[in-house]
Amino acid sequence: MFVCVCNAISDKAVREAVANGARTLADLQAQLGVATCCGCCASCAESFLEPQVDASVLQATEVSPPWKKAA
């Protein structure tokens, strides 16, 4: 899927940039050129930057329901 039609930038390219350290829209603009023409894709590109929830963190902070007794 194209994230940025103006510059033919795919979601795969954006995901790779994020995996390689892009943390802001400015990073994506510098690395890929996304959202540098009409800007309509800026919010879509930024959505790839939102922090991913790490399942191990959720498990470590999970609170047991009050009806379960701690072992």
Side-chain angles (χ1 to χ4, degrees), residues 14-40:
V14 175
R15 289 180 200 280
E16 287 175 2
V18 171
N20 290 325
R23 296 292 174 254
T24 64
L25 180 59
D27 291 342
L28 293 175
Q29 289 172 318
Q31 291 178 29
L32 302 173
V34 69
T36 58
C37 192
C38 76
C40 289

Side-chain angles (χ1 to χ4, degrees), residues 3-4 7 11-13 20 26 28 31 35 43-44 51 54 63 66 70:
V3 171
C4 178
N7 295 314
D11 62 319
K12 181 180 177 187
N20 290 325
L28 293 175
Q31 291 178 29
S43 63
C44 180
D54 185 353
V63 176

